[in-house]
């Protein structure tokens, strides 16, 4: 059971490390793409090319939507304040803030969680060893387990002696039978 828990813990740590490495690779690739675009044509030029391809009307519509959005921002803020005034909105906000904090300090969080998990595994392992030590040293079953080899040798030797005695008895009976039978008397 202890080995199973250790294997599960190791698997979870490996999954966490995999996710960390995957996130690091995605961030690295995104950084390389950003560096390439900045080194070649730049983001402004890409935006201009996209705007030219999509068309001026769409850009105008986006700008109009942006202007409309700017006019409703006070209403959105008012809704946000109203949501913050009740417990559900507060819980949602706390979850969002917590998620943001974990995301921005993931290296520290993952190190902390890894160290904490290692400490828990070590503490459980130490506790199991202590319990095992007291079980093996201070209970009748513990004495049997601790001295199993000697007990096993004793009974194995005893069985060998019983077999030898039985074999000797069968041989003796056979000799007696053959020597006292009519066949034995004829000789």
């Amino acid at each position: 059971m202890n080995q199973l828990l250790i294997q599960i813990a190791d698997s979870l740590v490996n999954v966490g490390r995999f996710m960390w490495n995957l996130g690091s690779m995605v961030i690295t690739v995104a950084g390389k793409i950003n560096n390439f675009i900045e080194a070649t044509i730049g983001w402004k030029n890409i935006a201009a090319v996209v705007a030219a391809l999509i068309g001026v009307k769409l850009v105008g519509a986006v700008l109009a939507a942006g202007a409309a959005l700017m006019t409703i921002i006070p209403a959105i803020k008012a809704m946000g304040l109203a949501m913050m005034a009740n417990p559900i909105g507060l819980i949602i906000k706390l979850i969002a803030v917590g998620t943001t904090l974990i995301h921005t300090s993931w290296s520290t969080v993952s190190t902390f969680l890894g160290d904490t998990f290692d400490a828990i595994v070590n503490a459980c392992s130490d506790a199991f060893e202590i319990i095992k030590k007291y079980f093996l040293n201070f209970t009748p079953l513990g004495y049997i387990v601790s001295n199993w080899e000697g007990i096993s040798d004793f009974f194995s030797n005893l069985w060998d002696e019983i077999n030898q005695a039985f074999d000797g008895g069968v041989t003796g009976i056979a000799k007696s039978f053959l020597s006292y039978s009519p066949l034995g008397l004829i000789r």
Side-chain angles (χ1 to χ4, degrees):
M1 180 69 170
N2 187 29
Q3 189 66 21
L4 177 64
L5 291 175
I6 289 173
Q7 288 175 346
I8 290 171
D10 288 341
S11 296
L12 289 174
V13 168
N14 288 336
V15 168
R17 288 185 180 136
F18 171 76
M19 294 304 290
W20 173 257
N21 290 336
L22 181 64
S24 297
M25 284 193 311
V26 168
I27 289 171
T28 301
V29 168
K32 299 255 186 229
I33 291 170
N34 181 46
N35 291 342
F36 173 77
I37 289 173
E38 286 180 358
T40 55
I41 60 174
W43 285 106
K44 287 183 182 179
N45 291 333
I46 284 185
V49 169
V50 169
L53 292 174
I54 294 175
V56 176
K57 286 188 178 188
L58 184 58
V59 173
V62 169
L63 291 175
L69 187 62
M70 294 302 286
T71 60
I72 62 169
I73 284 180
I76 293 173
K77 284 184 179 179
M79 285 296 292
L81 289 174
M83 286 295 290
M84 290 295 290
N86 69 54
I88 295 172
L90 185 60
I91 290 170
I92 292 170
K93 182 68 171 184
L94 289 175
I95 290 172
V97 168
T99 303
T100 303
L101 287 174
I102 289 172
H103 176 71
T104 56
S105 7
W106 180 247
S107 63
T108 306
V109 171
S110 64
T111 302
F112 170 75
L113 291 176
D115 293 345
T116 302
F117 188 75
D118 290 343
I120 290 171
V121 168
N122 290 337
C124 290
S125 177
D126 293 344
F128 181 75
E129 290 300 321
I130 290 170
I131 291 169
K132 185 171 79 172
K133 180 179 114 182
Y134 284 112
F135 172 77
L136 290 178
N137 290 330
F138 298 111
T139 63
L141 184 59
Y143 286 128
I144 290 171
V145 170
S146 296
N147 298 304
W148 181 251
E149 189 175 329
I151 293 169
S152 174
D153 290 344
F154 170 77
F155 283 107
S156 177
N157 292 336
L158 180 63
W159 183 250
D160 289 343
E161 289 178 20
I162 290 171
N163 278 337
Q164 287 175 358
F166 184 75
D167 287 344
V170 169
T171 304
I173 290 172
K175 282 183 182 178
S176 296
F177 179 73
L178 287 176
S179 64
Y180 292 114
S181 72
L183 184 60
L185 292 174
I186 293 177
R187 284 185 185 199

